[in-house]
Amino acid sequence: MDREHTENRSDALTSLLSPRRIAIVGVSAGDPQSWGHRVVRVLIDGGFSGDVCVVHPKTDFPGVATVRSIAEIADPELIVICVPAERAIGVVDEARVAGAKAVIVFASEFAEAGSAGAVLQEKLVTAAGDMAMLGPNCFGISNRVDDVKLSAAPFLNKTLRGPGEVALVAQSGALGLVLSRCVEEAGSGYSHFVSVGNEATLGATEISRHLVDRDEVGVVLLYLEALRDPRNLAETATRAAELGKRVVLLNAGRSEAGKRAALSHTAAIAGNDMFLQSLCDDFGIVRIHDDDEVKPVLAALERNWQMPVNPRVCILSNSGGAGAVLADQVEAAGGHVVELARETRAKVAEIGMIGAGDTNPIDIGGGWEATLHLFKPTLDALTAADEVDALVVYIAFGEMCADRVVPIAQYCSDSAKPVTFIWQIAPQEGLDQVQTPGILATSMGEGVRMLSAQMKLSAPRRAKWVPLAQTALALPDLAEGQKTLAEYASSAVLARQGMGFVPSEFGAVDALDDLAARVLALGWERLVVKGNAHDVPHRNRVGLVKVGVTPDALAETLRDMAQTLNTHSSDPARGLLVQPMVAFQGEIGVGALSDPLYGPVIVIGPGGVGIEDATGTRDALLLNTDSANWDAYAARVEARYDLASGTLRPVIDAMAHLMGSGRVTEIDVNPMIRTEDGALIALDSLVVVDRT
């Protein structure tokens, strides 16, 4: 049944994106500016060779077959609906009843317009049933391979280049069209443009998954204002990797203002940016942040260029000052302007182009115009150097020798390693002759931004989406309304799964003498005393944590803290914990939560008392990924915090076991301390349970 459903869905998407029979509803023959009229004109002017008909109850459309109702169409395939929102619901229902394979709904005023529109959208979804429905609130499609252009935008017929390998899927119609022009200005062409709008039944990631299997598609470029289906995106990227293709993502909603704009635009709600970045990193999705990054990323993908995240960069310039500025900018962007090897410098010297010095940055010298014939062998020598991952070539001016500078752009474009070519204050006639705009910049800032964008194209990770295994978990009895386990119970649950904790002794508030006796018998020299109650999770704020307690002061400290705990807690199982103070070399915070989109996630970052204010990198692991990806994540975090190899995986496994039970929504282990030998010990924990 799953295979049959998948095949039927694929057939429906083919009918949507590559139809041979199209009917258009809502066409005003007498109003050329109406939406439906423009859709017909764009389709016909775009060269569609299949069957087209207009559905209108009274008026024929000149030159196009016209029927009075959808029911008159024999074997309908794609119905394009150009009527207002409330009328669109009935038309979609007619299309479904007539047996149409797919529909496009352009109308707005659905979920993006508020609660009333959301009600209309629910009715629209019901009317569509199992049909593939694009929209509502969308801008249509352009399949340039099959000449299917269904939109009111004549812009789709005003392309700069022939069809290329980039398929563009966007949640914003207008920005999607802008990005299509960016693709062409990068020197590439696009094969498909799809505006998905509100994604009432058919999302951007599902369409992308379908497109990535098409032979004419080599790159899927996505613009998202919300990711509604992380699994589908992950599996699209996995399939792309299997086929030697890539997925590129531009998304909005990283900032609070961006989230508000996305919500008002296509009824989208942006997901957690850190989790999205983790998904992109793990599945080899190239994430870009603005339209300027389209050009260098597509140029690099087209040439199969890759470089490390922090590449070693060689700068070749006809201006010593520009070389110095570029070196600063490249270093600030994360590159390293390295010293060239003796062998490389010898090869460059033998070629004879360099006149001012062969250190990196390399200054070609004042007579550079006379040595341009030596540029290609010099570039080849630098590209071949093992210590060079990427190059930046800078030339200023050139009005007297533009015909000899133009070929340099082609040399750079044909390089086996990434090369950014900056031609500043260039003669316009020279720029007009450059046939490889994807690698050309006209300022130092633009050039370094291009290089920085291409740093995202390091060898991609190859995670697989694997739903977290379900587990059985025994939890202690919970009081009425209790949602958290206090530290003593939380640590016990985690310790049973293999997580290491500092030793603890627990005593109820009415058994302090026994607690003190047990602690003193252990011989601990300096102590930590904590309150332990499920209804006081933030103990530091109310004086329920005291460090550096001596054995002599233990009894008094226990009595004082018990009084404080009784004031703040009504937990009948409340009590006090005593632990030995442990020397450590560093601390981290480890947390897990169940995200409504991404599922269970682990986050590791700086730890300690100030964790909420701590700065520094936080690393997220989506637990709905394969074990090899967990290992790779553990190795990266171990290297970041100088932990012993193999230390972190047991922590991940313990937390994954709890999250896989479906009974835990959040775990907080903070801090975990690093010992001298790189091991990890947890000092505190909190588990939040699901009481729904």
Side-chain angles (χ1 to χ4, degrees), residues 166-183:
V166 180
L168 175 59
V169 183
Q171 287 178 340
S172 165
L175 184 55
L177 292 176
V178 169
L179 291 174
S180 74
R181 180 53 55 89
C182 292
V183 169

Side-chain angles (χ1 to χ4, degrees), residues 222-238:
L222 273 163
Y223 169 70
L224 298 181
E225 292 170 343
L227 175 58
R228 295 183 174 91
D229 189 354
R231 177 173 184 164
N232 218 332
L233 178 58
E235 292 179 346
T236 298
T238 298

Side-chain angles (χ1 to χ4, degrees), residues 17-353:
L17 300 175
S18 302
R20 303 315 302 158
R21 302 181 307 281
I22 301 172
I24 304 171
V25 182
V27 178
S28 173
D31 183 2
Q33 294 306 310
S34 66
W35 195 278
H37 192 117
R38 289 160 58 191
V39 168
V40 175
R41 285 265 52 95
V42 169
L43 178 63
I44 294 173
D45 294 348
F48 180 65
S49 59
D51 296 330
V52 182
C53 75
V54 167
V55 179
H56 197 283
K58 298 179 181 179
T59 308
D60 291 352
F61 193 96
V64 180
T66 306
V67 298
R68 300 306 170 211
S69 69
I70 293 175
E72 296 180 30
I73 304 172
D75 193 19
E77 186 178 12
L78 174 63
I79 309 294
V80 182
I81 301 171
C82 308
V83 301
E86 293 203 13
R87 285 183 55 201
I89 296 168
V91 177
V92 168
D93 186 64
E94 290 179 45
R96 178 184 52 77
V97 171
K101 304 293 191 302
V103 293
I104 297 176
V105 179
F106 290 115
S108 57
E109 301 302 316
F110 284 98
E112 82 286 353
S115 57
V119 171
L120 286 181
Q121 186 159 305
E122 289 177 6
K123 294 179 180 178
L124 187 73
V125 170
T126 300
D130 292 333
M131 280 193 307
M133 178 173 68
L134 186 69
N137 188 32
C138 73
F139 225 56
I141 68 171
S142 174
N143 174 349
R144 299 182 63 199
V145 177
D146 299 316
D147 291 323
V148 180
K149 296 163 187 174
L150 289 165
S151 175
F155 176 83
L156 291 174
N157 287 326
K158 298 176 182 178
T159 53
L160 301 180
R161 302 177 186 276
E165 68 169 6
V166 180
L168 175 59
V169 183
Q171 287 178 340
S172 165
L175 184 55
L177 292 176
V178 169
L179 291 174
S180 74
R181 180 53 55 89
C182 292
V183 169
E184 294 193 300
E185 290 175 348
S188 305
Y190 67 93
S191 58
H192 301 78
F193 162 80
V194 184
S195 163
V196 297
N198 287 6
E199 301 178 296
T201 67
L202 181 59
T205 55
E206 184 178 356
I207 291 173
S208 299
R209 177 64 185 84
H210 177 82
L211 286 170
V212 82
D213 273 324
R214 294 197 168 198
D215 292 340
E216 67 268 23
V217 174
V219 176
V220 174
L221 173 58
L222 273 163
Y223 169 70
L224 298 181
E225 292 170 343
L227 175 58
R228 295 183 174 91
D229 189 354
R231 177 173 184 164
N232 218 332
L233 178 58
E235 292 179 346
T236 298
T238 298
R239 180 58 176 162
E242 293 171 354
L243 298 172
K245 304 177 181 183
R246 292 297 287 269
V247 176
V248 179
L249 171 65
L250 170 64
N251 77 290
R254 290 184 294 146
S255 67
E256 288 302 317
K259 290 177 184 177
R260 292 194 299 272
L263 180 60
S264 65
H265 190 203
T266 57
I269 299 177
N272 187 297
D273 190 70
M274 177 171 51
F275 302 158
L276 176 58
Q277 187 62 57
S278 179
L279 181 118
C280 290
D281 291 342
D282 288 344
F283 288 88
I285 298 167
V286 184
R287 191 180 183 194
I288 61 177
H289 292 124
D290 58 41
D291 55 329
D292 280 344
E293 293 187 333
V294 171
K295 179 171 78 170
V297 165
L298 291 182
L301 290 175
E302 184 177 338
R303 293 160 177 80
N304 293 316
W305 282 346
Q306 286 187 2
M307 67 176 91
V309 176
N310 300 113
R312 298 163 298 174
V313 180
C314 178
I315 299 170
L316 182 62
S317 168
N318 72 344
S319 163
V325 172
L326 283 167
D328 289 342
Q329 291 181 317
V330 167
E331 291 274 350
H336 301 301
V337 182
V338 297
E339 182 177 350
L340 298 177
R342 182 181 305 165
E343 295 81 2
T344 303
R345 296 168 70 179
K347 289 179 182 178
V348 170
E350 185 178 348
I351 294 168
M353 180 183 182

